[in-house]
Amino acid sequence: MIFPRRRFLGSSFVALGASLLDALATPLWKWRSPLVLRQTPGGKASSEAERSPVQFVDVAQQAGLTVPNVWGDPHNKSYIIEAKGSGIAFFDYDNDGWLDIYITNGTLLGKNWPAGEAPTTHLYKNNRDGTFSDVTEKSGIGRTGWQTGVCIGDYNNDGWDDLFCCFWGHNVLFRNNGDGTFTDVTKRAGLHHEDVRWGSGCTFLDYDRDGHLDLFVCNYIKLDPAKNPDPNGPPLCQWKGVPVMCGPRGLTGDTNILYRNNGDGTFTDVSEKAGILKPGPRYSITAVSYDFDNDGWPDIYVAVDSEASILFRNNHDGTFTDVAVLAGCAYSDNGHEQAGMGVAVADYDCDGWFDIFKTNFADDTCNLYHNNGDGTFTDVTFASGVGINNQYVAWGCGFVDYDNDGWADILQINGHVYPQIDGHSLGQSY
């Protein structure tokens, strides 16, 4: 499916009409060929010396997005859960043709919040005038806890987008009731686990192409603060000689989960049968699902912290095989493990194949993996110019055509995790 810019600007898509919104809301696994934006005549990249003609202005306060995000003590991070941060989702929860915003949230370890003061997740309704209204209470979607990830999908095919929320503790599936409210159907859907796990990321996909969205969930670490090493103890709890929180190395990694949609509102864990458990425990953070080899079946790429990342190739028979090493997207270009954080996917060179951008920890560059069109990737990080800086801890990322020239640009979000490093002249700051 090819969408030239001129088509977006045509009269059939005036004011973000329903046809455009349907196209944007359609999961990428439904397209038989990749979405491609063609270059406009005369389009070219600006030099670094030029000031961008596109400027962004922070309008959060004016728009009503004022609720603070809480994620552990901002001045002291004793445990790795306090350093991860939270996710966000734009989706049209009320089907009015305007994108609303769901923001996850965290809390404080050991904090007993007074009634009504605990931080919660939030849902903001788009007022269609540049502002948003907080409809968290009305929608029934607010939760207090450590929510690191969220993904959107219409799992029951009723025409309304639902939310799956990843927590350290217990994940939650919120069914959209179609009236502005949501219902927690986690147990009813077969997605509840009694044991505490750290769900870090998720993605909906129809891996068996039966018309029902399945669910892939990343699990990061088996975390129990009471059993974690003392931050002032083992060498693994130091960074460049400075005592810091422990992990992920030295902590126990967890396994990922693939849930098959049974078509009746319930899911079945098929992780072992599908081959998802074969890579063993990993420090998985984020997953995305795209058809990387253009065979018409969705694959899964997983960014893994401090270990090899994973590329699950769909075998068309309900199983997957991890081909990341053979495909060239498991390690850096010199074969080193990396601390994968965020993942963005796009056909950045408009050759008809999806490429991958992955962010990593400080003292390393991010990766740009170019799809070779034969099931393999080439790490073009330095050749492409995205490997110019290694001082940042890079987190979320995305391909976005910010200047509307028809070519996908890259946005990378940075932020360190160790407050203790300030004042140590390490060339990096918190």
Side-chain angles (χ1 to χ4, degrees):
M1 181 68 70
I2 298 175
F3 289 126
R5 275 189 71 234
R6 293 179 186 273
R7 179 175 170 188
F8 278 109
L9 299 176
S11 59
S12 60
F13 293 98
V14 173
L16 287 180
S19 298
L20 174 57
L21 288 168
D22 287 344
L24 293 176
T26 301
L28 287 174
W29 51 264
K30 288 188 176 180
W31 300 119
R32 289 296 180 141
S33 59
L35 295 173
V36 178
L37 296 179
R38 298 199 182 280
Q39 184 181 18
T40 54
K44 63 178 181 179
S46 300
S47 68
E48 291 183 1
E50 296 176 349
R51 175 178 171 84
S52 171
V54 180
Q55 298 295 308
F56 291 87
V57 178
D58 182 359
V59 295
Q61 294 292 320
Q62 299 94 305
L65 306 176
T66 58
V67 175
N69 184 265
V70 178
W71 204 270
D73 187 333
H75 308 294
N76 181 48
K77 306 293 184 183
S78 298
Y79 299 98
I80 194 169
I81 184 64
E82 299 179 274
K84 281 302 174 205
S86 49
I88 186 171
F90 284 82
F91 76 117
D92 183 9
Y93 84 95
D94 52 3
N95 280 0
D96 68 350
W98 293 75
L99 287 178
D100 312 294
I101 304 176
Y102 175 80
I103 299 179
T104 69
N105 215 336
T107 183
L108 295 174
L109 286 174
K111 173 73 171 181
N112 292 319
W113 296 93
E117 295 185 15
T120 70
T121 56
H122 284 268
L123 178 63
Y124 291 98
K125 175 179 170 54
N126 193 323
N127 298 325
R128 313 183 197 183
D129 60 1
T131 68
F132 293 81
S133 295
D134 191 335
V135 295
T136 305
E137 185 173 355
K138 177 182 177 182
S139 68
I141 210 168
R143 287 292 179 94
T144 297
W146 302 89
Q147 185 183 354
T148 48
V150 58
C151 53
I152 308 296
D154 181 9
Y155 81 94
N156 56 358
N157 286 353
D158 65 354
W160 299 84
D161 282 334
D162 312 292
L163 285 89
F164 185 78
C165 303
C166 293
F167 284 86
W168 171 46
H170 304 285
N171 298 329
V172 179
L173 174 63
F174 284 111
R175 184 191 66 207
N176 191 328
N177 299 321
D179 60 1
T181 68
F182 292 80
T183 299
D184 180 349
V185 296
T186 313
K187 292 185 178 181
R188 189 186 315 171
L191 298 175
H192 179 76
H193 288 268
E194 290 297 331
D195 51 331
V196 172
R197 301 186 77 173
W198 185 347
S200 53
C202 56
T203 185
F204 281 101
L205 72 157
D206 183 8
Y207 80 93
D208 52 2
R209 303 199 315 185
D210 66 352
H212 299 280
L213 286 180
D214 312 297
L215 177 64
F216 183 89
V217 181
C218 294
N219 289 301
Y220 185 49
I221 288 172
K222 293 183 177 180
L223 178 66
D224 183 351
K227 298 179 181 179
N228 268 211
D230 181 352
N232 296 309
L236 286 173
C237 302
Q238 295 186 11
W239 192 69
K240 298 187 176 183
V242 178
V244 296
M245 68 196 181
C246 299
R249 293 191 184 277
L251 304 181
T252 303
D254 207 344
T255 53
N256 301 318
I257 307 174
L258 177 63
Y259 294 103
R260 183 182 184 274
N261 192 324
N262 300 320
D264 59 1
T266 68
F267 293 82
T268 299
D269 186 340
V270 295
S271 305
E272 184 172 5
K273 178 182 178 181
I276 300 302
L277 301 183
K278 287 186 178 179
R282 296 278 178 93
Y283 303 130
S284 299
I285 288 187
T286 304
V288 294
S289 179
Y290 290 81
D291 182 6
F292 289 107
D293 51 6
N294 278 0
D295 63 355
W297 295 76
D299 311 298
I300 304 170
Y301 185 75
V302 185
V304 179
D305 189 358
S306 302
E307 296 174 318
S309 290
I310 300 169
L311 175 59
F312 284 118
R313 183 190 63 203
N314 194 321
N315 298 324
H316 312 173
D317 59 1
T319 69
F320 291 82
T321 302
D322 179 11
V323 298
V325 174
L326 293 176
C329 56
Y331 302 102
S332 67
D333 62 347
N334 54 8
H336 289 167
E337 293 177 335
Q338 297 176 287
M341 302 292 187
V343 179
V345 175
D347 178 12
Y348 78 87
D349 56 352
C350 296
D351 65 354
W353 299 81
F354 282 123
D355 311 295
I356 300 173
F357 182 76
K358 177 171 68 74
T359 59
N360 298 302
F361 203 80
D363 297 325
D364 195 0
T365 63
C366 297
N367 304 108
L368 181 60
Y369 294 115
H370 176 260
N371 194 321
N372 300 321
D374 59 0
T376 68
F377 294 81
T378 297
D379 190 332
V380 295
T381 300
F382 293 97
S384 66
V386 303
I388 60 174
N389 200 309
N390 67 355
Q391 75 176 97
Y392 298 117
V393 178
W395 292 91
C397 56
F399 281 98
V400 55
D401 182 10
Y402 87 102
D403 53 2
N404 282 352
D405 67 352
W407 294 83
D409 310 298
I410 299 175
L411 177 66
Q412 171 185 321
I413 307 301
N414 304 310
H416 222 293
V417 298
Y418 302 135
Q420 298 92 333
I421 68 173
D422 282 346
H424 284 273
S425 301
L426 299 177
Q428 297 177 29
S429 63
Y430 176 64

